[in-house]
Amino acid sequence: MAACGGCGPGYATPGEAFTSTSKEKIVYLPCIIPDKDRPDYLATVDVDPDSPTYSTVISRLHFPYIGDEIHHTGWNACSSCHNDSSRSRSRLIVPGLGSDRIYIVDVKTDPLNPKLDKVIEPWEMHAFGVSTPHTTHCLADGNVMISTLGDGPQKNGKGSFILLDGETFKPKGTWPATDADVAPYGYDFWYQPYHNVMISTEWGHPRCFFKGLDLAEVENGSYGTHLNVYDWKEKKLIQKIDLGKEGVMPLEIRFLHDPKATEGFVGSALFAKMFRFFKTEEGDWAAEKVIDIPNKEVEGWILPEMPGVMTDIIISMDDKYLYFSNWLHGDIRQYDITDTRNPKLTGQVFFGGSVQAGGPVTVTKDQELSVQPGVRYAKRKRIEGAPQMLQLSLDGRRLYVTTSLFSHWDKQFYPEMCKNGSMMFIIDVDTKNGGLQLNNDFLVDFGAEPDGPVLAHEIRYPGGDCTSDIYVAGMESKK
């Protein structure tokens, strides 16, 4: 947390966050029950190496209902309202993809033992014609905005956004100006007030992805390929950027942290393509492919070629490095993005994945590797699943990783992980020269949970992190 008189949450600038001596000591993770026979819960994990409970789950907040499929989380307040001393990062917003329910969790009273504060019930969402809540961002005006992927109980695709009152957390309406400003599909979003823009991404029909991945539904258009560009002030959809078939499922989107930046990156998941999006000289927006992970030709898999499936991306707070995970190939990559049009590979680490040596899949042709990656173990336990969700420390030195994507797809591609539980790791990062190394002293095995294995997903730091906080230009002059 920034030290200044009367400041609100977070930091005034990304640079201040990056150079801060503050270090994360605990993190929060949603834990999903694979068989939906008991409620999901929020786990608090000790990540302070000087603590006697380091690398363990120290508390669990069990939610009251079954089948929520909690997934991503976000804050009621972040660095976008840093200049408002009345605001505090006191509530973690926990949407349920499966139930359309949203939990409001008190993390201020006792950060080590979060408590359930309020529940937004599914019918409150359905009253506004939305469902399947996903990404949460706090807004500078005090409200909370959550992307929604569905149209209600029918779970057809509908890319809208629900607004929550920042005090009561009651839904107060949808964000788009009119029905014409609602996209066919939704997923993630990032806003940049300095350039009066917000850009959202697309997954697909919830009724499709909740059944698992069916490539026939990819072919028939049930998954999205567009970036949706909005006028931030007018809340109008002003442009759609089609990434084409190779850009299907553009999921995680990240502007550079610099609040005046006119560019960022989006990972198109299925075929593992990274696109740079940018503002043109004409004032509109465009996208170009800058990283292309080649398929591997294989035997013993469902298809003759295996795509990487790029499922999460993150940018370091100094805008120097871009990281992403290839969930099927089983690797995390680090790229120097000093030249955003020509990212340079500077680090890579493999663990888990679907192409491990000695497994059921044989790679017959690989444009990148001469041998299949070996099986890896952590504290004598085989690593199941593959690197998926990423979170980076503010100083860029510790990359946190979990291995579960989405329980319905986990069961399809990594059934052993569903049976044995997911894992959480730390990757040590060389921030000067580039490079990644698995930290052998840290492992949280979610297969060893008291009531049985669970699937841990996204990671949040109480003080803000590299994906939750959006910065507003000129904030440093308002301190």
Side-chain angles (χ1 to χ4, degrees), residues 31-34 38 41 417-418 420-422 446-447 449 452-456:
C31 293
I32 296 89
I33 310 305
R38 52 193 171 95
Y41 59 90
M417 179 180 65
C418 287
N420 298 322
S422 69
F446 287 95
E449 284 292 271
V454 298
L455 302 170

Side-chain angles (χ1 to χ4, degrees), residues 324-399:
F324 62 83
S325 52
N326 289 313
W327 192 58
L328 285 187
H329 289 178
D331 65 312
I332 297 172
R333 302 188 185 208
Q334 176 198 52
Y335 284 78
D336 185 323
I337 54 170
T338 303
D339 178 356
T340 55
R341 298 195 68 182
N342 297 283
K344 178 184 177 183
L345 181 63
T346 50
Q348 186 176 21
V349 61
F350 282 85
F351 53 91
S354 296
V355 293
Q356 296 177 95
V361 175
T362 300
V363 178
T364 58
K365 184 176 181 180
D366 194 325
Q367 298 180 37
E368 297 184 313
L369 302 177
S370 58
V371 296
Q372 292 180 228
V375 173
R376 296 196 68 168
Y377 293 81
K379 294 189 176 180
R380 297 180 297 279
K381 183 170 181 178
R382 178 174 175 147
I383 298 174
E384 304 284 359
Q388 206 286 108
M389 289 306 298
L390 308 175
Q391 191 52 264
L392 188 65
S393 60
L394 295 178
D395 63 9
R397 297 178 181 177
R398 295 166 301 284
L399 183 66

Side-chain angles (χ1 to χ4, degrees), residues 144-369:
V144 175
M145 185 160 133
I146 304 175
S147 63
T148 53
L149 284 55
D151 64 349
Q154 293 77 25
K155 297 286 188 179
N156 296 305
K158 180 181 179 181
S160 192
F161 307 87
I162 192 81
L163 288 171
L164 307 185
D165 183 277
E167 297 295 330
T168 67
F169 299 104
K170 285 290 184 181
K172 56 189 299 184
T174 51
W175 181 82
T178 69
D179 289 345
D181 300 301
V182 174
Y185 300 116
Y187 187 75
D188 197 15
F189 71 102
W190 198 281
Y191 63 88
Q192 196 77 308
Y194 187 81
H195 297 288
N196 189 34
V197 69
M198 187 268 279
I199 303 179
S200 70
T201 60
E202 300 183 338
W203 191 0
H205 288 297
R207 58 178 167 77
C208 293
F209 57 69
F210 268 93
K211 297 184 299 183
L213 177 60
D214 183 344
L215 292 178
E217 292 179 328
V218 175
E219 291 293 331
N220 71 20
S222 293
Y223 289 87
T225 62
H226 289 82
L227 304 183
N228 301 295
V229 183
Y230 286 84
D231 181 303
W232 180 240
K233 293 178 182 177
E234 299 297 325
K235 306 177 183 179
K236 302 287 291 182
L237 179 58
I238 58 174
Q239 186 183 352
K240 293 178 68 67
I241 304 171
D242 189 356
L243 303 180
K245 182 179 178 180
E246 69 173 355
V248 70
M249 298 184 211
L251 296 186
E252 310 296 342
I253 185 168
R254 314 282 182 244
F255 263 95
L256 298 185
H257 293 289
D258 176 357
K260 294 185 179 180
T262 56
E263 61 184 333
F265 296 89
V266 61
S268 288
L270 184 57
F271 297 117
K273 316 298 182 190
M274 183 70 71
F275 289 84
R276 168 184 172 261
F277 63 87
F278 58 97
K279 191 174 185 179
T280 71
E281 292 181 357
E282 289 73 30
D284 61 352
W285 294 79
E288 60 181 356
K289 184 174 63 176
V290 291
I291 301 172
D292 189 337
I293 306 303
N295 292 349
K296 300 180 187 296
E297 295 185 19
V298 295
E299 294 177 350
W301 198 60
I302 57 175
L303 296 170
E305 292 190 7
M306 180 187 293
V309 182
M310 181 189 295
T311 49
D312 199 16
I313 74 172
I314 197 166
I315 296 174
S316 62
M317 196 58 73
D318 62 348
D319 289 335
K320 180 179 179 180
Y321 290 113
L322 169 69
Y323 301 84
F324 62 83
S325 52
N326 289 313
W327 192 58
L328 285 187
H329 289 178
D331 65 312
I332 297 172
R333 302 188 185 208
Q334 176 198 52
Y335 284 78
D336 185 323
I337 54 170
T338 303
D339 178 356
T340 55
R341 298 195 68 182
N342 297 283
K344 178 184 177 183
L345 181 63
T346 50
Q348 186 176 21
V349 61
F350 282 85
F351 53 91
S354 296
V355 293
Q356 296 177 95
V361 175
T362 300
V363 178
T364 58
K365 184 176 181 180
D366 194 325
Q367 298 180 37
E368 297 184 313
L369 302 177

